[in-house]
Amino acid sequence: QVQPVESGGGLVQAGGSLRLSCAASARTFGAYTMGWFRQAPGKEREFVASINWSGGRTSYADSARGRFTISRDNAKNTLYLQMNSLKPEDTAIYYCNQVTEGREPTGFRSWGQGTQVTVSS
């Protein structure tokens, strides 16, 4: 019903860093596990990272583990993704949404427009 709003993307050189933010509605954020997905040109959407409501459990795709850090601020209904050591293969549109234990979107909430991350070599 109410779309999340992703921001913080941009153009960065390989090895650089970006911090993405996702401002979601209370009904979307709530006590749900939230996560980041990305979609590169010509490829399917893929899971990047997730975090449960308390922040005590996180999950990362192999491509993100060790370089990305997911966090959340429940008081602000905001999700973050700190991305370090960026690589050209990280280039994609990044989206946030509710996430299942199977690393899939729940399907209960709408998608935002995403934020573009472009990493140059």
Side-chain angles (χ1 to χ4, degrees):
Q1 184 176 348
V2 179
Q3 297 180 123
V5 179
E6 299 91 347
S7 62
L11 175 63
V12 64
Q13 292 183 327
S17 299
L18 286 172
R19 192 190 194 208
L20 307 184
S21 297
C22 167
S25 67
R27 77 191 77 188
T28 294
F29 210 80
Y32 294 101
T33 294
M34 295 290 294
W36 290 92
F37 299 82
R38 68 186 183 187
Q39 186 169 18
K43 300 188 69 176
E44 295 292 320
R45 181 185 63 215
E46 65 176 354
F47 170 84
V48 178
S50 67
I51 185 169
N52 75 325
W53 74 270
S54 70
R57 293 203 303 272
T58 57
S59 182
Y60 295 93
D62 290 341
S63 61
R65 189 175 296 108
R67 300 187 299 122
F68 296 180
T69 303
I70 189 170
S71 61
R72 67 192 293 165
D73 186 335
N74 291 340
K76 298 178 180 179
N77 292 327
T78 302
L79 183 72
Y80 304 98
L81 184 67
Q82 178 66 47
M83 305 189 296
N84 299 324
S85 302
L86 284 163
K87 305 174 181 179
E89 49 263 47
D90 295 319
T91 295
I93 301 176
Y94 285 70
Y95 303 88
C96 66
N97 216 319
Q98 297 175 351
V99 182
T100 69
E101 291 295 329
R103 298 183 169 185
E104 297 288 337
T106 64
F108 297 148
R109 296 289 181 265
S110 299
W111 293 93
Q113 295 185 28
T115 185
Q116 176 71 51
V117 171
T118 303
V119 184
S120 62
S121 59

